[in-house]
């Protein structure tokens, strides 16, 4: 299904922000460059945005800019790993991840009491997929393996985790965010998760710990 777009004019009218604010947020990487989609229209070249994504992002910026600087917001929205170390037990205590996911992941991402942000993100993704009820623990180890082997190849660019199953056999893929992907008949897409969105959620939860 093609993503619904919103024109720049409609966006400014709907959100009440100014042209200057929008492009200032773009310069600060609060609104990603790839969301500015240029298309030909009867009035000439017009700029459009992925509607749901940009509206959700602007709502967050408006609601959080009084508490965080624009630079801090840009860091939170960035798909890059944060330079943070987090106590594993604190993650469970604050309900950021479940105890089951944390204990299961120990053998696969490290048994240290302190996790890097990268390790924490892998654990957070594991817990998220488990919480959906669509993935079991045994499948979780392959999800963690997929991240460990391939995530860094995206070099901080947005990507999606895709979980598929065919005739009881499951597999995981990492693909560029929003890209189309086609499979042979019989393959069912169980989950598609935006890694960038998950990193954003995790950063927000950690910074409010």
């Amino acid at each position: 299904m093609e993503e619904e777009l919103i024109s720049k004019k409609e966006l400014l009218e709907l959100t009440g922000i100014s042209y200057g604010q929008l492009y200032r947020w773009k310069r600060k990487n609060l609104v990603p460059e790839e969301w500015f989609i240029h298309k030909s229209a009867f009035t000439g070249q017009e700029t459009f945005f992925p509607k749901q994504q940009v509206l959700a992002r602007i709502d967050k910026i408006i609601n959080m800019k009084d508490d965080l600087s624009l630079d801090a917001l840009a860091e939170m929205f960035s798909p890059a790993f944060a330079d943070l170390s987090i106590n594993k037990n604190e993650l469970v205590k604050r309900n950021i991840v479940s105890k089951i996911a944390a204990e299961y992941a120990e053998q696969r991402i490290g048994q240290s009491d302190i996790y890097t942000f990268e390790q924490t993100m892998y654990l957070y993704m594991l817990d998220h997929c488990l919480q959906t009820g669509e993935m079991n623990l045994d499948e979780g180890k392959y999800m963690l393996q997929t991240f460990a082997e391939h995530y860094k190849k995206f070099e901080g660019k947005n990507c999606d985790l895709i979980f598929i199953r065919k005739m009881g056999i499951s597999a995981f893929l990492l693909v560029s965010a929003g890209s189309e992907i086609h499979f042979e008949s019989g393959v069912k897409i169980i989950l598609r998760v935006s890694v960038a969105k998950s990193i954003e959620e995790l950063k927000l939860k950690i910074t409010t710990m």
Side-chain angles (χ1 to χ4, degrees), residues 121-158:
M121 192 275 282
Y122 294 168
L123 173 56
Y124 185 73
M125 292 293 294
L126 171 69
D127 189 62
H128 171 78
C129 292
L130 290 172
Q131 295 285 358
T132 66
E134 300 287 357
M135 184 187 81
N136 61 45
L137 279 173
D138 190 54
E139 290 169 326
K141 67 183 177 184
Y142 298 109
M143 189 217 79
L144 292 173
Q145 182 179 335
T146 300
F147 270 105
E149 293 179 358
H150 302 294
Y151 182 73
K152 289 183 178 178
K153 296 175 183 177
F154 287 88
E155 299 178 335
K157 297 177 183 176
N158 294 343

Side-chain angles (χ1 to χ4, degrees), residues 20-57:
Q21 279 179 303
L22 176 63
Y23 280 86
R24 184 183 180 207
W25 294 346
K26 178 187 178 185
R27 289 194 300 272
K28 287 284 189 178
N29 293 320
L30 297 175
V31 181
E33 173 76 35
E34 58 265 29
W35 289 4
F36 288 72
I37 302 166
H38 304 291
K39 287 192 169 191
S40 296
F42 69 92
T43 56
Q45 192 86 345
E46 288 193 20
T47 302
F48 294 84
F49 302 85
K51 185 174 182 179
Q52 298 304 320
Q53 288 178 283
V54 76
L55 288 177
R57 176 61 58 85

Side-chain angles (χ1 to χ4, degrees), residues 165-201:
R165 193 179 284 135
K166 181 178 181 180
M167 298 180 67
I169 306 298
S170 57
F172 295 87
L173 304 86
L174 286 172
V175 301
S176 296
S179 61
E180 290 187 10
I181 186 164
H182 305 277
F183 300 99
E184 73 271 19
S185 176
V187 173
K188 182 179 180 182
I189 297 179
I190 308 300
L191 291 171
R192 182 165 186 159
V193 184
S194 167
V195 178
K197 184 177 179 181
S198 297
I199 290 175
E200 179 185 321
E201 291 172 355

